Amino acid sequence: MANCPTITLTEITADKYQSLLATAKAQGLDLTGESGSTTYQEMDFTWQYSAAAASLIIQCTNKPFFVPCSMIESRIRALIC
């Protein structure tokens, strides 16, 4: 189990962030507020949103060794972009 590098997403407006929260909830992720942590499919994540900077920082802090960080980042970016 290991940390992945942080993923910084820019141009995340407040409306887009609210939409992302709704999408996450529909997929079984319990994300509320502008920061926190959650577990999804045996992986732990932290996030922090800044409306002033229009940025979202996400990090996988714990994952199975056989799941590459690059795959996690790719899936996160695909969901958000």
Side-chain angles (χ1 to χ4, degrees), residues 5-6 14 16 23 34 37 42 55 62-63 68:
T6 59
K16 187 170 187 175
T23 300
E34 293 187 352
S37 61
E42 300 181 35
S55 68
N62 194 17
K63 66 173 189 66

Side-chain angles (χ1 to χ4, degrees), residues 6-26:
T6 59
I7 302 165
T8 301
L9 305 162
T10 59
E11 299 181 24
I12 307 295
T13 64
D15 287 340
K16 187 170 187 175
Y17 183 66
Q18 290 305 314
S19 177
L20 291 171
L21 291 179
T23 300
K25 186 167 284 218

Side-chain angles (χ1 to χ4, degrees), residues 9-81:
L9 305 162
T10 59
E11 299 181 24
I12 307 295
T13 64
D15 287 340
K16 187 170 187 175
Y17 183 66
Q18 290 305 314
S19 177
L20 291 171
L21 291 179
T23 300
K25 186 167 284 218
Q27 294 187 16
L29 285 149
D30 183 25
L31 305 180
T32 55
E34 293 187 352
S35 65
S37 61
T38 192
T39 299
Y40 182 71
Q41 297 183 347
E42 300 181 35
M43 295 179 283
D44 298 327
F45 294 88
T46 61
W47 80 94
Q48 183 172 350
Y49 174 67
S50 169
S55 68
L56 175 61
I57 298 171
I58 302 172
Q59 183 177 25
C60 179
T61 58
N62 194 17
K63 66 173 189 66
F65 74 94
F66 57 85
V67 178
C69 291
S70 60
M71 183 179 86
I72 294 168
E73 181 172 355
S74 177
R75 290 196 175 179
I76 288 171
R77 289 188 183 278
L79 287 171
I80 293 175
C81 297

